[in-house]
Amino acid sequence: MKAMIFAAGLGTRLKPLTDTLPKALVPVCGRPLIELTLKKLQDAGIDEAVVNVHHFADKIEDWISRQDWISPVRTEGKMSVRVSDERKLLLETGGAVLHARRHLEGCGHFLIHNVDILSDCDLRWFISQVQPHALATLLVSRRKSSRYLLFDPDTMKLQGWMNEKTGEMRLAGPYVREDECLKLAFSGIHVMSDQVLEVMDRYAVTHGMYIASDTPRFPVMDFYLDMCHLFEIYGVCAENLNLVDVGKLDTLSKAEEFLKSI
């Protein structure tokens, strides 16, 4: 299985660190986030990854080129890491997947991992839970959040999304009742079938997203929520999942404590 790491974000909540560094190179316990993510993928048996870049892209490329355990092509004992270049335009998460299409086609399934997520999830276990016919499978947990994905409690099919603070809600259809759904928090880790690339392409064409750009720009969660009534998009709940979103300066110390504990 291949993987894609979302690492192109501006990291505005980590300023002033990201005034001179991409978020992917922000260190936790002396190791950049991208290294921690790649090593976790490697430990799960994944030896090929794509990393999208935008903010300080040169610095990420330079870091990758200096790692003796990384190779641009598949090499025995090394991890193959390729770059998907978004220097011209930050494409958001859905557009990023389509832009990396040439690296992901034909692989069967690929795992997506946000670069700023640290967790104790057993990725091998998560991958083993993916149903072969699923278009996408989202790792979720019962942790407290303001935003939740909604799932059918019997099938774990995605049914919608809600924001408890604002009251905003998106449901898969008029038949869906929020009070009958499981409310679970998304982890930033998911597995896609490579068939999703064709579906995303049709989605972008239908919504006129190619008019201004060769590669459309859209969030992957919007795609999931718009298409979950038509396609098999499931959740897998990891019980007792511990996770740190390294998105703000005040989470760095928490991330260091968490990393030491695991």
Side-chain angles (χ1 to χ4, degrees), residues 175-210:
Y175 57 88
V176 177
R177 290 188 49 168
E178 171 265 327
D179 60 345
E180 295 179 351
C181 292
L182 284 177
K183 298 191 298 183
L184 298 166
F186 182 44
S187 67
I189 303 169
H190 35 141
V191 169
M192 293 181 176
S193 162
D194 64 354
Q195 295 178 20
V196 79
L197 299 166
E198 184 59 37
V199 178
M200 278 186 165
D201 185 58
R202 294 199 305 268
Y203 172 80
V205 169
T206 301
H207 289 77
M209 295 175 178
Y210 278 109

Side-chain angles (χ1 to χ4, degrees), residues 39-40 44 59 69 113-114 131 158 161 179 191:
K39 287 291 189 181
K40 187 171 182 66
K59 293 189 176 185
W69 53 279
H113 201 299
N114 289 1
Q131 299 182 48
L158 181 64
W161 169 91
D179 60 345
V191 169

Side-chain angles (χ1 to χ4, degrees), residues 178-252:
E178 171 265 327
D179 60 345
E180 295 179 351
C181 292
L182 284 177
K183 298 191 298 183
L184 298 166
F186 182 44
S187 67
I189 303 169
H190 35 141
V191 169
M192 293 181 176
S193 162
D194 64 354
Q195 295 178 20
V196 79
L197 299 166
E198 184 59 37
V199 178
M200 278 186 165
D201 185 58
R202 294 199 305 268
Y203 172 80
V205 169
T206 301
H207 289 77
M209 295 175 178
Y210 278 109
I211 295 174
S213 173
D214 291 337
T215 303
R217 185 174 185 265
F218 61 95
V220 71
M221 192 54 68
D222 282 357
F223 167 77
Y224 285 155
L225 292 169
D226 286 341
M227 305 304 285
C228 65
H229 67 295
L230 295 174
F231 293 93
E232 306 294 298
I233 300 174
Y234 293 100
V236 168
C237 184
E239 298 295 345
N240 304 312
L241 177 70
N242 294 300
L243 179 150
V244 178
D245 180 349
V246 193
K248 299 179 181 178
L249 285 175
D250 60 6
T251 60
L252 283 174

